[in-house]
Amino acid sequence: SSKELTTLAVFKDSPFGLSQPGVSGVKNGYGYVAWADYSSQYPDNLNFSTISIRSIPYNAQLSEDYHVDMYVHDPVINDRAIAWSDGDEGRGSSLYLSLDRQMPKRMSENVSYYGLGKDFLAWCEDGAVFAYFYDTDKKLRLSRPSELAMLTEVADNGVLWFDITDERRLRDILKFSILHEGDD
């Protein structure tokens, strides 16, 4: 309400300082910000992380620390889901999804970018864009099989990516898909 800036976390010589925070949209008057940090139980072990989740405006009852038995990078959040990778972008990084703060599910590997929509998780894996509707357990490929894609943004019902198939293209090719649960 005071419009002042607030420091949420301070990192010093920490790999978590390279991890982007995730921000959700507003629902019932609250938005959320999530970031990766050391585990308070195992502060010297990167195989255990905490995803710190704080409501905006701050409400202690709506804020929490979600403990994960792995390294966490670039967590994203919405009102039901948290997603993150277990390494830096690209080869060897696996993507995880937790619904309603339950046990996470490994969704994919070799993931370069990802984001949460209203009721789905979208990601780029080995140059292909996918979406997973978590309420129906349905996975879709959004980019064409012959297309090399680079995911750029995920929000509400939209997914945007660049078609980077032709290395000698004269213009950028930006594609999008509007998703609704039940789409094929």
Side-chain angles (χ1 to χ4, degrees):
S1 61
S2 67
K3 308 287 189 218
E4 294 179 58
L5 298 176
T6 302
T7 301
L8 294 171
V10 177
F11 301 99
K12 183 177 179 184
D13 296 328
S14 168
F16 297 111
L18 300 174
S19 176
Q20 294 186 45
V23 178
S24 76
V26 175
K27 184 174 181 179
N28 298 326
Y30 291 95
Y32 293 89
V33 62
W35 68 92
D37 207 344
Y38 289 102
S39 168
S40 58
Q41 296 173 327
Y42 308 100
D44 296 326
N45 189 338
L46 290 178
N47 293 321
F48 298 91
S49 299
T50 297
I51 299 174
S52 296
I53 302 166
R54 300 295 179 265
S55 67
I56 300 179
Y58 180 73
N59 179 323
Q61 294 176 339
L62 299 175
S63 300
E64 65 181 299
D65 289 333
Y66 179 73
H67 301 286
V68 182
D69 292 344
M70 68 183 75
Y71 176 75
V72 170
H73 187 76
D74 291 349
V76 292
I77 188 170
N78 67 16
D79 61 325
R80 284 199 53 214
I82 306 171
W84 67 89
S85 69
D86 64 357
D88 297 334
E89 295 177 358
R91 290 265 171 232
S93 292
S94 293
L95 177 63
Y96 291 85
L97 174 68
S98 170
L99 295 174
D100 302 316
R101 312 304 189 259
Q102 299 298 312
M103 179 70 75
K105 176 180 178 181
R106 185 172 175 263
M107 301 301 300
S108 187
E109 62 183 30
N110 300 326
V111 173
S112 57
Y113 184 76
Y114 50 91
L116 286 166
K118 189 172 92 176
D119 53 4
F120 65 91
L121 170 65
W123 68 90
C124 188
E125 169 190 336
D126 293 327
V129 177
F130 295 92
Y132 172 75
F133 288 95
Y134 38 81
D135 287 332
T136 58
D137 194 33
K138 187 176 186 180
K139 180 181 172 183
L140 302 172
R141 182 177 179 142
L142 302 180
S143 58
R144 294 185 175 141
S146 61
E147 176 180 87
L148 183 60
M150 182 175 72
L151 184 65
T152 61
E153 189 62 44
V154 179
D156 294 329
N157 292 337
V159 179
L160 290 112
W161 67 92
F162 282 105
D163 178 345
I164 57 172
T165 308
D166 185 359
E167 294 178 7
R168 296 171 292 178
R169 64 190 173 282
L170 299 175
R171 295 191 169 109
D172 290 333
I173 303 168
L174 181 63
K175 295 186 175 184
F176 71 95
S177 182
I178 305 298
L179 301 178
H180 300 282
E181 193 153 3
D183 285 350
D184 287 330

